[in-house]
């Protein structure tokens, strides 16, 4: 049974950094398409980073150069390293996956991802 569990969120001052982790069970991260998706109050869901089995990461323009998505195939984890955080990064962050797809071309579309975690809150002040 597929399960995604995020951790690592919290409160940080502007300019600070956070590392998010996603523990994955029920499938192998090395054979799935993965993403980090966030949603701020009153705003649409936003796919901020995606990575599939090609290993090539993709980023939304507003996080490019600040955030890094990566996987640990041995531990079966997904990570998001976030640097230079701003108050605009405040949101609930979700780990998401489609374990049936080796590649997702529309990686920016949150509807492509069929499995989601419960989310971890990131607050930047």
């Amino acid at each position: 049974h597929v399960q995604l569990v995020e951790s690592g969120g919290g409160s940080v001052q502007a300019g600070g950094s956070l590392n998010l982790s996603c523990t994955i069970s029920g499938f192998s991260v090395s054979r799935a398409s993965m993403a980090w998706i966030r949603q701020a109050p009153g705003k649409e869901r936003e796919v901020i980073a995606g990575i599939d089995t090609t290993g090539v990461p993709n980023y939304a323009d507003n996080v490019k150069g600040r955030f890094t998505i990566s996987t640990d195939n041995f531990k079966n984890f997904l990570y998001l390293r976030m640097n230079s955080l701003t108050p605009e990064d405040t949101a609930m962050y979700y780990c998401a996956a489609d374990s049936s797809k080796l590649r997702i071309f529309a990686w920016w579309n949150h509807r492509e991802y069929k499995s989601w975690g419960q989310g971890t809150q990131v607050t930047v002040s």
Side-chain angles (χ1 to χ4, degrees):
H1 128 107
V2 172
Q3 189 173 21
L4 307 172
V5 180
E6 304 91 340
S7 61
S11 297
V12 64
Q13 290 189 334
S17 299
L18 281 173
N19 292 319
L20 304 185
S21 299
C22 177
T23 306
I24 297 160
S25 57
F27 66 94
S28 173
V29 70
S30 65
R31 296 192 58 77
S33 294
M34 306 293 302
W36 287 98
I37 300 172
R38 70 185 182 187
Q39 187 167 24
K43 294 190 176 181
E44 297 286 324
R45 290 175 177 173
E46 177 186 21
V47 183
I48 54 171
I51 189 166
D52 61 24
T53 59
T54 64
V56 176
N58 290 287
Y59 299 99
D61 287 344
N62 56 358
V63 305
K64 197 174 295 183
R66 300 188 299 125
F67 291 10
T68 302
I69 187 172
S70 62
T71 62
D72 184 322
N73 294 343
F74 180 74
K75 292 182 178 179
N76 217 34
F77 271 55
L78 178 73
Y79 300 105
L80 185 69
R81 170 70 177 178
M82 304 187 294
N83 295 326
S84 303
L85 286 161
T86 75
E88 287 69 39
D89 295 315
T90 294
M92 186 70 79
Y93 283 69
Y94 300 91
C95 169
D98 190 327
S99 58
S100 69
K101 293 181 181 175
L102 299 179
R103 295 193 67 182
I104 287 182
F105 293 98
W107 63 270
W108 60 87
N109 185 348
H110 64 83
R111 294 178 181 83
E112 292 284 344
Y113 302 94
K114 304 301 185 283
S115 303
W116 293 57
Q118 82 289 349
T120 187
Q121 178 67 37
V122 171
T123 302
V124 185
S125 60

